[in-house]
Amino acid sequence: MSEDTSNNEIGGIAADALRQFVDRIERLEDEKKGLSDDIKDVYGQAKSQGFDVKVLRKIISLRKKDRQEREEEEQILALYLAALGEA
């Protein structure tokens, strides 16, 4: 086995390409952790100013959905609550 083959392809796997994917994923995971820490800090700041973090998280969740999807969920929730005698 030549050195070129051992560095570039092992068992039919392109080692250089695999290494690049692994490195890229690791960098993105580091960035994701940094962003997660930043988001946690923002929620902490909001809480320190008297905002309800649980409600803020719900608002963020709702804003990710389109109006039709939100309305559909609300209708199903109302139906389930009615079935349980909660509404």
Side-chain angles (χ1 to χ4, degrees):
M1 184 184 300
S2 71
E3 187 170 321
D4 185 46
T5 302
S6 66
N7 285 336
N8 294 326
E9 193 169 315
I10 299 172
I13 298 174
D16 290 338
L18 178 60
R19 188 173 298 107
Q20 288 175 354
F21 283 124
V22 169
D23 290 344
R24 185 173 173 199
I25 291 168
E26 287 174 341
R27 279 193 309 275
L28 290 170
E29 288 289 342
D30 288 342
E31 289 176 27
K32 185 169 78 170
K33 181 178 179 346
L35 289 172
S36 179
D37 290 343
D38 291 347
I39 291 169
K40 184 178 176 183
D41 290 343
V42 172
Y43 279 118
Q45 291 170 11
K47 184 177 182 177
S48 72
Q49 291 186 23
F51 292 100
D52 186 323
V53 172
K54 189 174 180 180
V55 174
L56 284 175
R57 289 184 188 279
K58 183 66 174 177
I59 290 170
I60 299 300
S61 172
L62 289 172
R63 288 174 52 112
K64 289 179 184 178
K65 301 173 185 175
D66 64 25
R67 180 171 297 282
Q68 182 180 356
E69 186 179 4
R70 286 195 316 250
E71 289 173 357
E72 199 174 286
E73 283 184 10
E74 289 171 3
Q75 290 172 355
I76 293 171
L77 176 62
L79 178 66
Y80 287 3
L81 288 172
L84 294 172
E86 300 287 328

